[in-house]
């Protein structure tokens, strides 16, 4: 191919390329691009649920709209969960009033969960998913699993497996500040 | 959608499995292409494994530096098995340095090695895209087409399949070029141009992700794809001229 034809090809590619990019640009207002159907996937609104906490109080996820939420699924029999719970407690204290830490316990007796929480000094909300219905709705296949939900209730990150202080700091950046 | 492969009591996440398969296919296809180019296929495996190891170390070191206050009180976490505790750019830089060092020490021809690696990388990308389809990741934009898939309750473009088919098509083109005896570097440049153009063309079929935009809403994958394609086309132009000049000199 001659030099001229190459130049024409490059300029044409650039011109058509810029038009296609411009035509497909996204609106700056994120609300226009969020898929409105709740689903346990990044980019979707987090499915709402109502449970009772280990302290006997009603808990509704939608009530937390307006502040970022770290939604963790755990159980007392799960060693990685036990390892990460102190990190979540530390974050709960560090970001008190700015980020909500929620630890959904999966299908365990309320008394056992309450005793375990007292033993570890956990102060964040622990809703009890006694029939594992919320876990199923969130497609939780292994524990721990953690969803990072932004102020608008949209899931921004999903972590399967434990978080450490470093990875928690990293993941929190996606929803806070 | 099949995000988890259930084998008896064992739950295996499909996406990491797909990535492992993609890596193996990339190395195997690359090694075969290398043999066709008259190179030792083992070099492709060596470069791949060394680059992977260097990437893992570099990615973790980058994470440690970036989040040092968190690691300072938990030094053993530096060596922990946490797949999230890696940073991409330090990993890529470390992999590039080690791969370049290997090529330099072995005195391997850079252009030919890139030609050999190109179809493997594309085949690997295709498998990774299909893994994303199974796992419900990187899903498509909402669509009402007969071939739509339905991850998370919404009919969507199977954008991962489009991307896989595009990568495979470019891989086949590049393999064809290698078989026909292309100029050193040409196959790699065609692979870069083809892959870049496919990302530029197909990105709008992916679900919109505002966090992956630049300059007030332009999709960064499209911009990067177009830039890569233009650089590759420019490279092909220069390569054509050089070959032409060389031919004149030879005459």
């Amino acid at each position: 191919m001659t030099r001229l034809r190459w130049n024409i090809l490059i300029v044409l590619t650039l011109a058509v390329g810029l038009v296609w990019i411009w035509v497909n640009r996204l609106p700056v207002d994120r609300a226009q691009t969020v898929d409105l159907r709740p689903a346990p996937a990044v980019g979707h609104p987090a499915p709402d649920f109502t449970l009772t906490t280990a302290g006997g109080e009603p808990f509704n996820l939608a009530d937390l709209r307006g502040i970022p939420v770290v939604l963790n699924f755990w159980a007392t029999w799960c060693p990685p969960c036990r390892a990460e719970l102190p990190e979540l407690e530390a974050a709960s204290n560090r970001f008190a009033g700015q980020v909500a830490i929620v630890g959904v316990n999966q299908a365990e007796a309320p008394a056992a969960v309450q005793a375990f929480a007292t033993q570890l000094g956990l102060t964040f909300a622990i809703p009890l998913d006694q029939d594992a219905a919320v876990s199923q709705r969130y497609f939780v296949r292994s524990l721990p699993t953690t969803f990072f939900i932004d102020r608008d209730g949209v899931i921004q990150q999903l972590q399967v497996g434990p978080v450490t202080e470093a990875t928690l700091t990293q993941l929190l950046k996606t929803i806070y500040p | 959608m099949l995000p988890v492969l259930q084998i008896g009591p064992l739950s295996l996440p499909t996406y990491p499995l797909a990535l492992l398969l993609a890596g193996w296919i990339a190395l195997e296809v690359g090694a075969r292409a290398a043999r066709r180019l008259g190179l030792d296929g083992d070099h492709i495996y060596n470069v791949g494994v060394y680059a992977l190891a260097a990437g893992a170390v570099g990615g973790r070191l980058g994470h440690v530096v970036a989040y040092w206050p968190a690691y300072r009180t938990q030094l053993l976490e530096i060596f922990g098995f946490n797949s999230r505790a890696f940073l991409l750019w330090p990993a890529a830089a470390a992999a590039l340095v080690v791969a370049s060092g290997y090529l330099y020490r072995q005195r391997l021809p850079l252009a030919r090695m890139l030609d050999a690696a190109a179809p493997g990388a594309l085949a690997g990308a295709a498998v990774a895209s299909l893994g994303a389809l199974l796992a419900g990741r990187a899903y498509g934009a909402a669509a009402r087409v007969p071939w739509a898939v339905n991850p998370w309750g919404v009919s969507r473009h199977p954008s991962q399949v489009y991307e896989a088919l595009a990568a495979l098509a470019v891989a086949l083109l590049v393999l064809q070029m290698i078989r026909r005896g292309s100029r050193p570097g040409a196959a790699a440049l065609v692979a870069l141009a083809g892959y870049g153009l496919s990302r530029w063309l197909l990105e709008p079929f992916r679900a919109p992700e505002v966090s992956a935009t630049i300059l007030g809403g332009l999709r960064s994958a499209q911009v990067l794809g177009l830039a890569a394609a233009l650089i590759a086309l420019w490279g092909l132009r220069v390569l054509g001229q050089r070959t032409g000049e060389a031919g004149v000199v030879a005459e």
Side-chain angles (χ1 to χ4, degrees):
Chain A
M1 204 150 71
T2 65
R3 188 198 273 188
L4 178 66
R5 284 184 179 176
W6 273 114
N7 289 344
I8 292 170
L9 177 65
I10 289 168
V11 170
L12 266 179
T13 305
L14 177 63
V16 176
L18 290 177
V19 169
W20 183 242
I21 289 172
W22 183 254
V23 165
N24 289 290
R25 70 192 185 281
L26 294 175
V28 180
D29 179 8
R30 206 198 56 189
Q32 292 180 39
T33 65
V34 171
D35 192 314
L36 293 179
R37 187 167 302 206
V42 172
H44 282 257
D48 192 21
F49 61 86
T50 301
L51 291 171
T52 304
T53 66
E57 293 163 1
F59 175 90
N60 185 259
L61 183 66
D63 291 344
L64 295 174
R65 190 65 55 86
I67 57 170
V69 177
V70 176
L71 181 65
N72 174 257
F73 288 82
W74 67 283
T76 61
W77 50 262
C78 151
C81 304
R82 292 205 298 266
E84 75 171 359
L85 284 169
E87 301 295 353
L88 294 174
E89 177 60 24
S92 171
N93 293 327
R94 198 161 62 243
F95 297 105
Q98 301 162 77
V99 176
I101 309 287
V102 179
V104 177
N105 176 269
Q106 195 183 59
E108 292 187 289
V113 176
Q114 184 63 56
F116 183 81
T118 306
Q119 186 191 337
L120 260 66
L122 304 180
T123 57
F124 53 80
I126 301 178
L128 302 172
D129 185 19
Q130 288 188 280
D131 56 0
V134 174
S135 300
Q136 282 179 19
R137 201 165 169 210
Y138 271 80
F139 222 69
V140 174
R141 293 299 184 97
S142 63
L143 295 177
T145 294
T146 309
F147 294 84
F148 292 79
I149 304 166
D150 69 14
R151 288 182 175 81
D152 301 321
V154 177
I155 297 170
Q156 294 297 338
Q157 279 291 341
L158 162 60
Q159 164 76 11
V160 178
V163 293
T164 61
E165 186 183 342
T167 52
L168 186 58
T169 307
Q170 179 189 9
L171 289 163
L172 274 171
K173 282 184 180 174
T174 61
I175 56 170
Y176 179 83
Chain B
M1 219 171 59
L2 186 68
V4 176
L5 202 59
Q6 197 74 40
I7 305 173
L10 204 62
S11 296
L12 298 171
T14 44
Y15 191 61
L17 285 178
L19 290 185
L20 278 176
L21 181 65
W24 175 73
I25 285 177
L27 291 176
E28 184 57 30
V29 172
R32 287 178 186 219
R35 283 181 212 115
R36 189 166 276 276
L37 288 166
L39 299 165
D40 183 350
D42 285 349
H43 285 310
I44 292 286
Y45 271 99
N46 290 345
V47 170
V49 171
Y50 292 151
L52 184 68
V57 172
R60 176 57 58 88
L61 279 177
H63 200 268
V64 170
V65 170
Y67 298 100
W68 175 244
Y71 280 101
R72 198 171 46 195
T73 52
Q74 301 174 324
L75 289 176
L76 282 178
E77 282 300 331
I78 294 172
F79 308 102
F81 291 102
N82 193 324
S83 61
R84 181 72 70 166
F86 295 94
L87 289 188
L88 177 65
W89 289 111
L96 192 64
V97 167
V98 167
S100 306
Y102 182 86
L103 296 183
Y104 180 75
R105 283 198 63 163
Q106 298 290 329
R107 298 178 189 283
L108 293 167
L110 176 65
R112 275 301 184 211
M113 283 296 283
L114 290 174
D115 286 342
L122 289 163
V127 174
S129 290
L130 295 177
L133 176 73
L134 287 176
R137 298 169 73 114
Y139 46 79
R144 291 181 184 214
V145 290
W147 57 88
V149 290
N150 198 21
W152 314 117
V154 178
S155 287
R156 298 179 179 282
H157 279 291
S159 57
Q160 306 98 325
V161 176
Y162 303 163
E163 288 164 19
L165 289 175
L168 279 179
V170 181
L172 289 174
L173 174 67
V174 169
L175 281 172
Q176 195 67 16
M177 286 179 69
I178 290 172
R179 282 200 190 98
R180 288 185 178 172
S182 61
R183 287 166 295 192
L189 287 169
V190 167
L192 183 63
Y195 185 71
L197 286 175
S198 74
R199 289 307 304 267
W200 160 78
L201 181 69
L202 297 175
E203 191 64 18
F205 295 100
R206 267 197 191 189
E209 198 180 334
V210 175
S211 58
T213 59
I214 53 171
L215 303 173
L218 304 185
R219 297 174 195 243
S220 40
Q222 274 195 301
V223 174
L224 285 174
L226 180 63
L230 288 170
I231 290 168
L233 287 176
W234 186 263
L236 284 166
R237 175 186 181 276
V238 171
L239 196 65
Q241 273 182 274
R242 277 192 190 159
T243 312
E245 285 163 11
V248 171
V249 171
E251 282 168 14

